[in-house]
Amino acid sequence: MSVMVHPSAIVDEGALIGEGCRVWHWVHICSGARIGSGCSLGQNVFVGNDVVIGNNVKVQNNVSVYDAVTLEDDVFCGPSMVFTNVYNPRSAVIRKDEYRRTLVRRGATLGANSTVVCGVTIGEYAFVGAGAVVNHDVPAYALMVGVPARQIGWMGQYGERLNLPLTGNAETVCKQTGKRYELRDSHCRLVS
């Protein structure tokens, strides 16, 4: 395997890009970025210096992954979704020493045009709907929508809504995969 980099892309010296990655038109990857294998960076993507991207991550067109953002394996960033790294930016006030870290756990989906305000953790396999604005931590497997984002359900690893209540204790089986999920004390997890 090799890395495919479109001729219009800029990859600064020192950037680490794993095998099998595809870097498309007008992408800029800064020198300190670390990108795993099998990733796809769509047209007009920016990746900052202090960024870690895991394996098999899909970053769709027009996404800027700014400093202090970590994307674990199998994360999906929809077209034109937004990360921030300063909570209260001002043009005339330098706040690079105040960057808040953002962590997107394994398998999470961030829908098109969603915004993730800095300093939050998105739980594994969570699903943030298109246009949602996330300004607080998101539990694993949570389905989030709206402005500000609020939880309306649970999503399985396959990307299908699970038949579980928002809170309490319950169990269900994913119709697509047959995998069993349980809700215990308002936390969802894959059982088998």
Side-chain angles (χ1 to χ4, degrees):
M1 269 192 195
S2 62
V3 176
M4 188 287 292
V5 177
H6 189 273
S8 66
I10 299 169
V11 179
D12 293 342
E13 186 175 340
L16 300 176
I17 303 174
E19 287 293 314
C21 287
R22 295 173 314 281
V23 178
W24 293 101
H25 306 71
W26 306 297
V27 170
H28 182 189
I29 301 172
C30 293
S31 62
R34 291 176 288 162
I35 300 170
S37 62
C39 296
S40 177
L41 304 179
Q43 179 176 300
N44 198 38
V45 165
F46 171 79
V47 181
N49 278 302
D50 182 18
V51 170
V52 177
I53 296 177
N55 300 317
N56 195 42
V57 172
K58 306 294 187 272
V59 181
Q60 299 297 302
N61 296 353
N62 305 312
V63 175
S64 293
V65 186
Y66 294 119
D67 286 350
V69 172
T70 298
L71 307 176
E72 292 186 346
D73 295 349
D74 303 319
V75 166
F76 178 87
C77 297
S80 301
M81 66 81 44
V82 175
F83 290 104
T84 68
N85 58 11
V86 175
Y87 191 75
N88 55 339
R90 291 285 197 198
S91 179
V93 180
I94 305 302
R95 291 196 162 114
K96 289 187 176 187
D97 61 336
E98 296 178 24
Y99 286 172
R100 294 185 183 185
R101 296 217 158 271
T102 298
L103 173 60
V104 182
R105 296 275 188 196
R106 177 187 188 108
T109 292
L110 307 173
N113 290 304
S114 63
T115 298
V116 177
V117 176
C118 59
V120 303
T121 297
I122 309 289
E124 66 179 6
Y125 299 101
F127 196 102
V128 175
V133 176
V134 176
N135 62 0
H136 59 278
D137 289 351
V138 172
Y141 299 99
L143 172 58
M144 308 291 290
V145 300
V147 179
R150 68 191 185 292
Q151 186 177 358
I152 63 166
W154 302 97
M155 295 288 274
Q157 290 182 4
Y158 190 75
E160 296 288 332
R161 192 164 180 175
L162 297 172
N163 185 19
L164 291 170
L166 278 180
T167 60
N169 298 304
E171 293 186 7
T172 193
V173 174
C174 174
K175 294 176 185 177
Q176 299 294 324
T177 65
K179 291 182 178 182
R180 191 166 58 89
Y181 294 83
E182 71 174 9
L183 186 65
R184 291 290 174 259
D185 300 320
S186 303
H187 291 87
C188 184
R189 71 181 185 100
L190 175 68
V191 177
S192 61

